[in-house]
């Protein structure tokens, strides 16, 4: 049977659903939604030269790729490609074909260094190394059972702190943008990131369909946004029975951060706890998040919430010559 690689057809609901389903089978520890996949494919900044690819065998989507340039990095030439093949459809050439197509596209648009996340399993790491990628840092996927687990009790905020939601900033999201921009620059990463384009942030992040404005929580100190916990939910995505093999209803924490001037007060923990409690009250049954393996303070906070590590990925790097 012949495997082909082509671009995702975002206008075709069945194609998007098959992409999302294949991603979930390969990486069940992340919240994938059709609306989110479409939005990333269509609305990522043009300078990223972003593409969503599918590997198809006899009409069946067996592998996927998302790739682009780190257009928001101050250093040019950084590209990324994240390749995932359905675990029941490996060894058919789909991964190699996706890698080759992605690398050719990125090189043609000026990429000189490529980054890829690879599941920390022998066959995946061997595949990456065979294609010229070397391992660097690691990150964990974590899961929290909101139905049977026990969240820390809600705490009364200090007198100068107020908890609000992203929905409260619907008329003017710029204060949230400024907080996000400051915290993302301090996140552990191989590539420095700068959010300087407010309009691009609005399109790519604020309007990203999985971002749940009602569950995303922001801690304000004397009226100034100081810390936040961004929540993603599946909205109008696939039916839960297919999206999640467990049949659960997930919320994913996409980002938690605190402005430098307010660190050490537990504000991010306060915001995330409030978000998780509201999510559980709304009927969400499991919580997902990611944690850089080197970020021990955040890992300790997640364990305090009751999260457990369920898988690990390793960042791999390749220099293009």
């Amino acid at each position: 049977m012949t495997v082909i690689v082509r671009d995702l057809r975002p206008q075709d609901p069945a194609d998007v659903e098959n992409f999302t389903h294949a991603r979930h089978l390969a990486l069940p520890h992340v919240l994938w939604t059709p609306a989110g996949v479409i939005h990333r494919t269509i609305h990522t900044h043009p300078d990223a030269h972003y593409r969503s690819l599918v590997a198809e065998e006899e009409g069946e989507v067996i592998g996927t790729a998302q790739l682009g340039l780190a257009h928001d990095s101050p250093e040019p030439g950084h590209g990324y490609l994240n390749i995932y093949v359905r675990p029941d459809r490996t060894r058919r050439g789909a991964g190699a074909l996706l890698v080759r197509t992605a690398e050719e596209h990125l090189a043609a648009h000026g990429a000189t260094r490529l980054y890829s996340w690879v599941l920390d399993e022998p066959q995946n790491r061997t595949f990456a190394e065979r294609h010229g990628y070397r391992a660097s840092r690691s990150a964990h996927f974590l899961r929290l059972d909101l139905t049977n687990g026990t969240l820390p009790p809600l705490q009364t905020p200090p007198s100068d702190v107020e908890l609000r939601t992203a929905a409260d900033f619907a008329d003017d999201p710029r204060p949230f943008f400024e907080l996000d921009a400051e915290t993302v620059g301090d996140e552990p990463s191989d590539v420095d990131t700068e959010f300087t384009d407010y309009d691009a942030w609005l399109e790519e992040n604020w309007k990203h369909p999985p971002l749940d404005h009602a569950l995303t929580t922001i801690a304000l100190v004397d009226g100034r946004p100081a810390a936040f916990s961004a929540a993603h939910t599946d909205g109008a995505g696939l039916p839960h029975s297919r999206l999640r093999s467990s049949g659960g209803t997930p919320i994913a924490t996409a980002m938690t951060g605190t402005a430098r001037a307010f660190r050490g007060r537990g504000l991010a923990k306060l915001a995330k706890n409030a978000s998780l409690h509201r999510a559980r009250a709304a009927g969400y049954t499991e919580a997902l998040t990611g944690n850089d393996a080197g970020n021990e303070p955040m890992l300790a906070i997640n364990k305090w919430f009751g999260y457990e590590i369920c898988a690990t990925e390793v960042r791999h790097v390749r220099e293009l010559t």
Side-chain angles (χ1 to χ4, degrees):
M1 297 185 179
T2 302
V3 176
I4 65 167
V5 167
R6 60 170 174 80
D7 284 286
L8 174 71
R9 297 188 287 263
Q11 295 79 16
D12 182 349
D15 203 38
V16 176
E17 181 174 318
N18 289 333
F19 181 104
T20 308
H21 182 56
R23 265 293 165 96
H24 169 65
L25 291 176
L27 198 63
H29 324 293
V30 176
L31 177 62
W32 302 105
T33 74
V37 169
I38 293 171
H39 190 85
R40 283 281 181 248
T41 302
I42 295 176
H43 295 289
T44 297
H45 196 284
D47 290 348
H49 299 285
Y50 181 88
R51 293 174 73 183
S52 296
L53 303 176
V54 300
E56 190 176 69
E57 182 184 51
E58 301 298 315
E60 180 184 44
V61 174
I62 65 171
T64 61
Q66 290 174 305
L67 57 129
L69 297 177
H71 70 93
D72 47 9
S73 170
E75 184 178 351
H78 293 289
Y80 61 90
L81 61 158
N82 293 313
I83 312 290
Y84 298 99
V85 176
R86 285 178 49 160
D88 58 346
R89 298 292 189 272
T90 59
R91 302 186 183 280
R92 302 182 184 213
L97 193 54
L98 285 166
V99 169
R100 187 174 73 206
T101 304
E103 289 181 344
E104 289 174 353
H105 171 77
L106 294 170
H109 287 92
T112 57
R113 175 179 293 178
L114 302 181
Y115 297 91
S116 182
W117 284 107
V118 177
L119 280 170
D120 191 14
E121 298 172 359
Q123 64 271 26
N124 295 319
R125 297 189 65 162
T126 298
F127 175 86
E129 291 163 6
R130 189 166 63 243
H131 285 82
Y133 291 78
R134 57 178 175 80
S136 59
R137 62 189 182 90
S138 300
H140 301 304
F141 297 108
L142 300 96
R143 178 184 180 275
L144 170 63
D145 186 342
L146 290 176
T147 300
N148 301 307
T150 302
L151 284 174
L154 285 171
Q155 297 174 321
T156 301
S159 59
D160 60 341
V161 175
E162 179 185 9
L163 294 179
R164 305 285 293 275
T165 71
D168 295 322
F169 292 82
D171 293 336
D172 180 18
R174 185 177 286 275
F176 183 30
F177 160 75
E178 292 171 351
L179 175 60
D180 193 14
E182 179 177 340
T183 57
V184 77
D186 294 334
E187 276 288 288
S189 178
D190 299 294
V191 181
D192 291 336
T193 301
E194 293 180 349
F195 285 169
T196 57
D197 189 331
Y198 176 59
D199 291 334
W201 178 88
L202 283 175
E203 195 64 44
E204 294 184 25
N205 295 279
W206 180 256
K207 296 179 182 179
H208 189 46
L211 180 66
D212 194 312
H213 291 190
L215 294 179
T216 294
T217 303
I218 303 168
L220 287 74
V221 176
D222 293 328
R224 173 185 168 185
F228 74 100
S229 183
H232 283 188
T233 57
D234 61 355
L238 291 173
H240 297 314
S241 59
R242 187 175 181 191
L243 180 66
R244 305 293 305 165
S245 58
S246 65
T249 308
I251 176 176
T253 300
M255 172 69 176
T256 300
T258 305
R260 299 180 193 101
F262 300 100
R263 289 176 187 164
R265 296 186 56 181
L267 297 178
K269 185 187 291 186
L270 189 72
K272 186 168 184 174
N273 199 25
S275 178
L276 291 173
H277 273 271
R278 290 204 316 277
R280 185 173 65 180
Y284 290 91
T285 59
E286 63 177 329
L288 308 171
T289 194
N291 200 130
D292 189 277
N295 190 345
E296 292 293 338
M298 195 66 224
L299 186 59
I301 290 174
N302 283 323
K303 289 182 177 180
W304 177 78
F305 279 114
Y307 284 92
E308 296 181 352
I309 296 173
C310 52
T312 300
E313 276 195 316
V314 180
R315 186 82 145 175
H316 281 66
V317 186
R318 183 188 174 197
E319 306 289 344
L320 294 180
T321 56

